[in-house]
Amino acid sequence: MAKAMKWAQVALAGTLAVSLAACGTDANKPAAGSGGTGSSGEAAKEKDKPGAVTITFQNIYPDPTAPNHKIMKKIVADYTAAHPNIKIELDSLNTDQQKLKLKTQAAAKEVPDITIVNPAAQMKPFVDAGLLAPLNDMLDQNGLKDTFQKGILDYYSFNNNVYALPDGNNIGVVFYNKELFSQAGVEVPKTFEEMIEVVKKLKAKGITPIAIGEKDSWTGSFLFMNMLLRTNNGPGFLKDVLDKKKTFGDSAFTDAASKFQDLVQAGAFQEGATSFDYNAGENLFKTGKSAMYFMGTWATGAIDDSSVKGKIGVFKFPTVGGKGNPDQYMIAPGSAFAVSATSKHLKETKEFLNYFMVNFPKVSFEMKNAVGIAQKVEGDFKAAGYSQLAMDILELFKNVQGGDLAFDNTMNPGTAQAHLTSIQNLFVQKKDPKDVGKEHQTAFETNNK
């Protein structure tokens, strides 16, 4: 796990360079006349053929309008066209739904052939329980291992085995709607104090300042942790807690809780924020109904594929109380694809996942969604028609000076769940920051005996 925590080894900046040609090769194209079946009856016959294999592919790409969903569907369609004996059964869920479902499946030892796990501390229990298959052998096929950015696989490695392959390597930024900023007569804030004033002015104009999908509780945590990164004057607060050098009663943590509540009390978020899931929250921003959106850079493609394309800028989360370095970010090595150790079709599942990941950079680039993926990409983004927003984000990547992992990628699941609940509650109830710290400390001590 210590190896998985080495964020500084991940080359977030200037690493988008490896041959796409290798990523796009397909040695298994279907022969002429071997197209898919044309009716449900033919499909049934196909499924009943000797050697027919169904692979369950659990994923967190449920929105059919989103680029990541379209990328998945294209790669799956290409593979099944070339392999008519293989059926890929998609189980598409939002993040929180998938986490809950996987816990239930894991308890019953019925993990799907391919599922989604998150890095470091979140995936460790599944590895410890022997539920995931090592992927070292598959990584050595078709040059797949070399397509990943340097150090990124460390987050998914335990005892020298890689257990999952990530889709992203992102940073947390603030997207903003330039038209709505202009309507309210506000500019990009350089400090958190200025951000509060921007929120108030937007609110006064009847504009929702910040969209969030807090029904999926990780979203509020992601924002809160960026504020803690600032109030702690740099990364490493949670590591210090784990090492017993600090507690959640430390002023850096209680200051972050206080400032976070300042945002809530200023009316920064839409009404009923805790009833909006990730997609619903993001859609508020993508339809021009909110002025700001704090999210990982993975959202770039979806924003550029929406009605606000061309109206959106991006800025670094500002200093808080004069503390913090805006070039330090919440670093988000992505959710990752893992294979069930007990899959009835382990060989076929690994072959499909190898194909999926080998082709992922090429298809992502073609679909204008290659900003912030975990694999190297070669190509002229500007010439390929990427937006100014995408180009601005690529510039931010070049100056990343480290940062922190999400809370639930650092702490054990019990402590993480208490944290997610505690932060979610701040959207509906104001609390003494010291009590927020005590909640966290109690949970930490209870889950680390």
Side-chain angles (χ1 to χ4, degrees):
M1 179 174 172
K3 188 176 182 183
M5 298 293 292
K6 290 163 58 183
W7 54 263
Q9 299 301 316
V10 181
L12 279 165
T15 54
L16 300 173
V18 80
S19 175
L20 275 176
C23 297
T25 56
D26 180 3
N28 298 298
K29 290 181 179 177
S34 64
T37 56
S39 70
S40 58
E42 290 173 354
K45 291 177 183 178
E46 192 71 48
K47 185 176 179 181
D48 292 339
K49 278 186 177 181
V53 168
T54 297
I55 295 171
T56 303
F57 185 8
Q58 193 173 84
N59 64 86
I60 52 170
Y61 303 153
D63 184 355
T65 67
N68 51 22
H69 183 93
K70 295 174 184 176
I71 291 163
M72 173 182 67
K73 290 295 289 277
K74 173 167 174 49
I75 298 175
V76 166
D78 288 348
Y79 189 80
T80 53
H83 301 82
N85 66 312
I86 302 291
K87 177 184 177 184
I88 308 298
E89 187 176 88
L90 298 176
D91 182 20
S92 303
L93 308 161
N94 70 37
T95 304
D96 277 8
Q97 288 173 337
Q98 187 272 332
K99 286 181 180 179
L100 288 172
K101 186 170 184 177
L102 180 58
K103 284 181 181 178
T104 302
Q105 292 169 323
K109 299 190 182 303
E110 295 177 351
V111 174
D113 297 300
I114 298 174
T115 189
I116 295 293
V117 293
N118 286 282
Q122 280 201 64
M123 65 181 287
K124 188 174 186 297
F126 300 107
V127 174
D128 290 347
L131 296 172
L132 307 181
L135 302 178
N136 301 40
D137 56 341
M138 185 259 278
L139 274 166
D140 290 335
Q141 297 172 6
N142 303 319
L144 178 58
K145 187 174 183 179
D146 291 336
T147 70
F148 285 92
Q149 293 177 28
K150 182 180 178 181
I152 186 68
L153 294 178
D154 288 352
Y155 289 100
Y156 311 88
S157 300
F158 300 84
N159 301 320
N160 298 315
N161 286 314
V162 179
Y163 286 94
L165 306 180
D167 60 356
N169 190 20
N170 292 273
I171 54 176
V173 297
V174 186
F175 296 96
Y176 74 102
N177 187 309
K178 296 177 182 179
E179 283 190 356
L180 296 182
F181 265 46
S182 178
Q183 287 177 27
V186 297
E187 297 181 353
V188 170
K190 302 296 184 186
T191 68
F192 179 75
E193 293 71 29
E194 290 179 2
M195 193 173 191
I196 291 291
E197 291 306 309
V198 167
V199 163
K200 291 178 179 177
K201 289 178 180 178
L202 287 164
K203 190 79 173 174
K205 290 287 186 178
I207 300 168
T208 298
I210 304 175
I212 194 166
E214 184 52 16
K215 185 176 181 181
D216 293 0
S217 54
W218 66 268
T219 57
S221 168
F222 196 49
L223 173 56
F224 172 83
M225 287 300 297
N226 202 143
M227 297 178 69
L228 178 59
L229 176 62
R230 297 289 182 264
T231 57
N232 193 54
N233 225 358
F237 180 85
L238 295 184
K239 184 179 185 303
D240 285 343
V241 172
L242 287 166
D243 293 342
K244 306 296 176 64
K245 294 177 182 177
K246 290 182 179 178
T247 72
F248 287 104
D250 188 273
S251 60
F253 189 85
T254 55
D255 285 352
S258 177
K259 298 296 185 183
F260 187 84
Q261 291 189 91
D262 286 347
L263 264 185
V264 175
Q265 297 303 314
F269 307 101
Q270 76 271 21
E271 290 291 328
T274 57
S275 65
F276 286 71
D277 66 12
Y278 173 86
N279 289 326
E282 185 168 285
N283 282 336
L284 283 179
F285 186 74
K286 292 193 301 183
T287 54
K289 295 175 183 175
S290 72
M292 290 180 281
Y293 182 45
F294 178 79
M295 191 45 62
T297 45
W298 62 76
T300 306
I303 291 168
D304 276 338
D305 197 34
S306 73
S307 62
V308 293
K309 180 179 181 179
K311 303 176 183 178
I312 306 303
V314 63
F315 64 90
K316 309 167 188 178
F317 198 88
T319 59
V320 178
K323 294 181 178 180
N325 176 359
D327 285 321
Q328 292 176 333
Y329 296 84
M330 286 308 296
I331 295 175
S335 55
F337 303 105
V339 172
S340 170
T342 58
S343 170
K344 294 178 181 177
H345 308 292
L346 190 58
K347 177 178 178 291
E348 292 87 352
T349 299
K350 284 187 175 183
E351 287 174 351
F352 164 68
L353 185 56
N354 175 276
Y355 177 94
F356 187 93
M357 297 309 299
V358 165
N359 285 276
F360 191 75
K362 176 179 180 293
V363 179
S364 295
F365 185 77
E366 290 171 349
M367 292 196 178
K368 307 291 189 297
N369 200 50
V371 173
I373 68 171
Q375 290 162 279
K376 304 169 192 174
V377 179
E378 182 185 84
D380 187 329
F381 282 77
K382 190 170 184 178
Y386 275 71
S387 68
Q388 186 58 50
L389 172 64
M391 302 308 296
D392 290 345
I393 287 173
L394 290 173
E395 283 300 309
L396 292 182
F397 275 124
K398 294 179 181 178
N399 297 302
V400 174
Q401 295 177 23
D404 272 329
L405 287 178
F407 193 105
D408 52 2
N409 289 336
T410 307
M411 291 288 179
N412 64 43
T415 307
Q417 187 54 58
H419 158 76
L420 293 171
T421 301
S422 179
I423 299 304
Q424 188 180 59
N425 286 341
L426 297 183
F427 283 84
V428 294
Q429 180 184 9
K430 187 174 181 180
K431 298 194 72 168
D432 187 321
K434 291 182 179 178
D435 289 338
V436 178
K438 287 176 183 176
E439 285 178 352
H440 281 73
Q441 189 62 29
T442 298
F444 175 74
E445 292 172 359
T446 299
N447 288 282
N448 287 275
K449 290 180 179 178

